[in-house]
Amino acid sequence: MAKLKIDGNEIEVPDHYTLIQACEEAGAEVPRFCFHERLSVAGNCRMCLVEVKGGPPKPQASCAMGVRDIRGGPNGELPEVFTNTPMVKKAREGVMEFLLINHPLDCPICDQGGECDLQDQAMAFGIDTSRYQEDKRAVEDKYIGPLVKTVMNRCIHCTRCVRFTTEVAGISELGLIGRGEDAEITTYLEQAMTSELQGNVVDLCPVGALTSKPFAFTARPWELNKTESIDVMDALGSAIRVDTRGREVMRVMPRVNDQINEEWISDKSRFIWDGLKTQRLDRPYVRKSGRLQPATWAEAFGAIKTAVAGTTGEKIGAIAGDLSTVEEMYALQELVKSLGSENLDCRQDGTALDPSLGRASYLFNPTIQGIEEADALLIIGANPRFEAAVLNARIRKRWRRGGFPIGVIGEAGDMRYDYEYLGAGPDTLKDLVDGNHAFAKVLADAKKPLIIIGQGALSRVDGAGVLASAAKLAGTVGAVADGWNGFAVLHTAAARVGGLDLGFVPGAKGVNAADMLSSMDVLFLLGADELDFTKKTAKFTVYIGSHGDQGAHNADVILPAAAYTEKSGTWVNTEGRVQMGNRAGFAPGDAREDWAILRALSDVLGKKLPFDSLGELRGKLYAAFPHFAAVYEIAESDSAKIAAVAKKAGKMNKSGFASPVKDFYLTNPIARASAVMAECSALARNNFKVAAE
């Protein structure tokens, strides 16, 4: 720790802090453009100037000087820094004047207006006149893809975007070329960026040089209502803010959450919002004469009542989709059980995970933040870059620190960091378990080894055997020990862990999702669209969901429901953290929240559910499953259960592991309804073809 005085106030800070961080700790406001806490120091905007007592007779860039670099007085006086002296004020005004020489000052038509660091800091630290009459520099706008809009006349060369793409995203797609007046930020070859995290440069840009292309010219920030919520595009549960105008979602922004997403979100999470407006189900439908016809709620419920009355409990089933909340899965579970059925499944992909094996067997036990503590990593049947882009950035962050060997079993691809390719499938995993592979020693020698098992390894017919082998390997190399549980299951579905926690799986006499498609008389689909409907022979199918996707096309009755931004609900992320999403708007037309639909349906079926409001539903839920009440917490799981899983060794076949995510941009009904995601998908396919050639 280091002691120093800032504006006369004595503080103590870690000795690796820069002066700008120390000033923030002391409560002093220091302007900055190039400095960012999660990026390397560039020191090129000079806006963060401060005065150091006893230092050179000129202001110092506080982002580029550490607290260890300043000295105290000759008699043991503490080092002193001043942030508000006349010298500092004059220096900052001069820097701001220089920055505005070439800036176009087109605030009325700039999308960053109202959220612009340059605007705010010019107001707080600049002056109201300029001495420059020369022509402003003009820079040609660049095409960098369908997501990020460029107006490079506004660029102040802070290089935040360059450092982000290089350091966090892991691909050098932006850079600064030229010198002096000819310097400009570009992609070099004028081509689209390919990173799944590229949208974050919009948040990082302190001026209007990089803005959101889909959001351009649609709204001003002061027009928008801002709602804090949770992202459901993958299983991380990233913290997001949903901005709405009236009933319409205008954009999605990240929130800071160091435990999960830091301050980044993937492009799918950020630009999915146009899919919330298209292909929506806004009224009930009933299939008549082979065609779906608009109907009233009473007609739809009547058709379901007739179908249920004509069968028995054993022939009624329910499958929960990947975006479902815990509340609606609980309501559906109670309804189906009241009808005498045990046919429940939340595992559309047929993964081998089962709550009977213990909670530790299906969680990302070390936590997302715990990745930074690991000192060796094995990835089995997953490509985190596409399955969880923000988690992949966390792996890269740990890799950049060094001393982090990474091995991969499965598909070889560009994961944005170096790794050792060990093999394609189960044979390689078996060699590691038996100690016949060199990487087994790497894991065993590590103090905190981490083993990530993806759904590509678990959603196969031999998934149970793969899970058991991975658990056995975790025990062999010491990945599960006192104070550290490095056994990590990476989910791809936001609803999966919550469903497993609820026990939304077949009972003793129940059948799984795949079998339900071909054997049920009445089948309820709660937003389940990722099934193989070519094998569907179920007689009567009820789809409860928000979009006209595969599930709706194959349904006999459609009950229109709310999307994730239109309801308050609970999701549990891949690490087992319970999180609450809030309603930002209302569902269109006659669509209603899923739990309310199920409550109304239960009344018609004569099996009235014991709650009339969301609060009452949660009361019942928390009574049955207390850990859901601990929002934003991770309930402890018994790591000893992993050793029990290891003893359930099963056979593994020879085929290689493959990631379940074939197209990052089109993984769910909302994404498939999005024109922006469709454009990104087409661009990614073309880039892949070019790379392959």
Side-chain angles (χ1 to χ4, degrees):
M1 300 293 282
K3 287 185 177 181
L4 70 159
K5 280 187 175 181
I6 294 175
D7 294 334
N9 300 317
E10 183 179 322
I11 66 162
E12 189 174 14
V13 296
D15 60 2
H16 64 268
Y17 266 32
T18 59
L19 290 186
I20 193 171
Q21 291 171 302
C23 290
E24 284 196 337
E25 283 287 313
E29 185 178 357
V30 179
R32 84 291 300 272
F33 290 115
C34 69
F35 177 78
H36 193 278
E37 290 82 355
R38 302 189 198 278
L39 304 176
S40 60
V41 174
N44 56 8
C45 80
R46 319 310 284 181
M47 194 65 207
C48 63
L49 296 173
V50 296
E51 183 180 343
V52 178
K53 185 177 181 179
K58 62 178 183 179
Q60 302 292 314
S62 58
C63 70
M65 179 175 279
V67 294
R68 287 179 290 200
D69 299 331
I70 59 175
R71 297 289 176 264
N75 300 315
E77 296 96 334
L78 290 176
E80 283 202 66
V81 176
F82 299 98
T83 67
N84 52 14
T85 62
M87 184 197 358
V88 170
K89 185 175 185 296
K90 187 171 186 299
R92 289 176 181 167
E93 288 173 353
V95 170
M96 181 61 71
E97 195 174 3
F98 273 120
L99 284 173
L100 294 178
I101 290 173
N102 286 311
H103 199 76
L105 304 181
D106 55 353
C107 303
I109 58 152
C110 177
D111 277 311
Q112 202 84 312
E115 297 176 311
C116 175
D117 291 348
L118 187 64
Q119 269 185 340
D120 297 341
Q121 293 182 38
M123 187 74 181
F125 303 101
I127 53 177
D128 60 356
T129 58
S130 175
R131 291 169 285 179
Y132 290 88
Q133 304 298 323
E134 289 80 9
D135 292 338
K136 292 182 182 289
R137 186 182 74 132
V139 182
E140 188 179 343
D141 293 341
K142 310 292 187 295
Y143 170 77
I144 60 174
L147 303 179
V148 182
K149 176 189 172 192
T150 64
V151 184
M152 302 313 290
N153 282 335
R154 302 169 185 159
C155 181
I156 60 171
H157 301 161
C158 70
T159 68
R160 279 186 183 182
C161 56
V162 176
R163 285 174 283 147
F164 173 81
T165 54
T166 304
E167 297 165 13
V168 179
I171 178 167
S172 299
E173 293 189 303
L174 289 174
L176 189 143
I177 61 171
R179 298 181 61 143
E181 193 176 65
D182 296 324
E184 56 183 283
I185 302 290
T186 177
T187 56
Y188 304 114
L189 301 176
E190 300 277 330
Q191 62 188 18
M193 296 169 69
T194 61
S195 171
E196 295 75 30
L197 298 167
Q198 62 180 279
N200 291 289
V201 300
V202 172
D203 299 330
L204 287 171
C205 185
V207 293
L210 302 176
T211 54
S212 169
K213 191 174 280 188
F215 178 69
F217 307 124
T218 58
R220 286 296 195 182
W222 54 82
E223 298 178 276
L224 304 175
N225 293 315
K226 301 167 178 63
T227 306
E228 294 186 352
S229 193
I230 300 300
D231 175 53
V232 299
M233 293 300 112
D234 54 33
L236 295 190
S238 299
I240 60 171
R241 192 188 82 200
V242 181
D243 289 359
T244 55
R245 185 173 60 190
R247 298 176 70 121
E248 190 176 7
V249 175
M250 303 303 293
R251 64 177 178 180
V252 175
M253 306 276 282
R255 289 187 292 123
V256 175
N257 185 339
D258 285 324
Q259 295 172 315
I260 300 174
N261 61 308
E262 298 185 299
E263 59 189 83
W264 322 122
I265 55 173
S266 73
D267 294 340
K268 186 164 52 176
S269 305
R270 183 186 296 270
F271 296 107
I272 196 80
W273 49 267
D274 70 312
L276 294 166
K277 307 173 189 178
T278 53
Q279 298 290 331
R280 289 303 302 268
L281 300 172
D282 59 358
R283 68 184 71 177
Y285 287 86
V286 175
R287 192 175 295 276
K288 298 175 183 176
S289 304
R291 296 189 63 177
L292 286 165
Q293 307 285 348
T296 64
W297 281 102
E299 289 171 342
F301 284 168
I304 297 169
K305 182 178 181 180
T306 302
V308 170
T311 187
T312 58
E314 304 90 64
K315 287 293 186 178
I316 298 173
I319 303 172
D322 293 346
L323 308 183
S324 304
T325 67
V326 169
E327 289 88 350
E328 62 207 42
M329 285 191 285
Y330 175 71
L332 180 58
Q333 183 180 42
E334 292 301 299
L335 175 60
V336 170
K337 284 183 176 178
S338 71
L339 295 171
S341 173
E342 295 183 354
N343 302 317
L344 299 160
D345 209 342
C346 64
R347 306 163 301 182
Q348 289 187 90
D349 55 7
T351 183
L353 300 171
D354 194 299
S356 65
L357 301 175
R359 198 166 189 251
S361 71
Y362 58 82
L363 292 185
F364 199 96
N365 292 289
T367 73
I368 296 166
Q369 201 169 21
I371 291 171
E372 297 185 32
E373 298 178 37
D375 49 6
L377 169 63
L378 174 66
I379 299 174
I380 304 171
N383 187 336
R385 178 184 156 196
F386 298 123
E387 295 170 31
V390 175
L391 180 139
N392 200 54
R394 184 84 74 154
I395 294 174
R396 177 177 165 78
K397 180 181 179 182
R398 173 62 188 90
W399 170 80
R400 290 184 71 236
R401 282 186 5 224
F404 192 52
I406 301 174
V408 171
I409 303 176
E411 293 178 318
D414 181 5
M415 294 192 187
R416 308 303 197 204
Y417 41 77
D418 296 336
Y419 61 85
E420 181 184 346
Y421 183 67
L422 308 180
D427 288 345
T428 307
L429 177 58
K430 187 175 185 304
D431 287 343
L432 281 166
V433 173
D434 296 339
N436 298 330
H437 198 291
F439 201 80
K441 188 176 188 309
V442 173
L443 292 171
D445 290 344
K447 293 179 180 177
K448 291 185 175 182
L450 172 60
I451 300 173
I452 295 178
I453 308 99
Q455 299 307 303
L458 299 176
S459 56
R460 304 157 27 119
V461 291
D462 61 347
V466 174
L467 181 66
S469 295
K472 187 174 181 181
L473 176 63
T476 304
V477 300
V480 182
D482 290 339
W484 176 254
N485 187 343
F487 184 81
V489 176
L490 179 60
H491 290 274
T492 54
R496 187 64 47 80
V497 175
L500 292 171
D501 281 354
L502 282 172
F504 202 100
V505 293
K509 298 178 181 178
V511 298
N512 62 27
D515 291 338
M516 279 189 233
L517 271 179
S518 57
S519 61
M520 294 294 109
D521 286 344
V522 178
L523 178 60
F524 292 94
L525 300 178
L526 186 64
D529 293 276
E530 316 306 323
L531 298 157
D532 184 2
F533 286 100
T534 60
K535 299 178 180 177
K536 174 183 172 292
T537 55
K539 293 180 181 176
F540 189 87
T541 305
V542 180
Y543 179 77
I544 307 169
S546 61
H547 283 71
D549 206 79
Q550 287 294 316
H553 290 171
N554 288 275
D556 296 290
V557 171
I558 295 174
L559 304 179
Y564 74 105
T565 56
E566 298 157 1
K567 57 190 172 187
S568 175
T570 303
W571 286 272
V572 186
N573 78 347
T574 190
E575 59 184 354
R577 190 181 303 277
V578 178
Q579 300 194 102
M580 191 82 74
N582 296 310
R583 183 172 64 191
F586 291 91
D590 290 336
R592 296 292 182 266
E593 293 185 45
D594 306 61
W595 72 266
I597 293 171
L598 292 164
R599 164 64 183 79
L601 177 60
S602 70
D603 212 356
V604 173
L605 296 178
K607 303 290 183 180
K608 185 177 177 181
L609 292 170
F611 48 79
D612 294 317
S613 68
L614 185 58
E616 290 180 17
L617 188 162
R618 284 177 174 157
K620 299 287 184 183
L621 173 67
Y622 297 160
F625 304 93
H627 75 282
F628 286 124
V631 181
Y632 305 117
E633 300 294 327
I634 301 175
E636 283 192 29
S637 54
D638 186 2
S639 57
K641 295 283 188 181
I642 296 172
V645 174
K647 295 175 182 176
K648 296 179 179 288
K651 290 184 178 180
M652 297 188 291
N653 60 37
K654 300 289 185 182
S655 61
F657 301 134
S659 172
V661 178
K662 304 305 178 189
D663 190 329
F664 169 76
Y665 297 103
L666 304 177
T667 55
N668 60 61
I670 304 175
R672 290 189 286 270
S674 165
V676 175
M677 292 296 101
E679 187 176 354
C680 291
S681 173
L683 203 58
R685 286 196 299 271
N686 290 338
N687 288 338
F688 179 77
K689 287 177 184 175
V690 170
E693 289 168 0

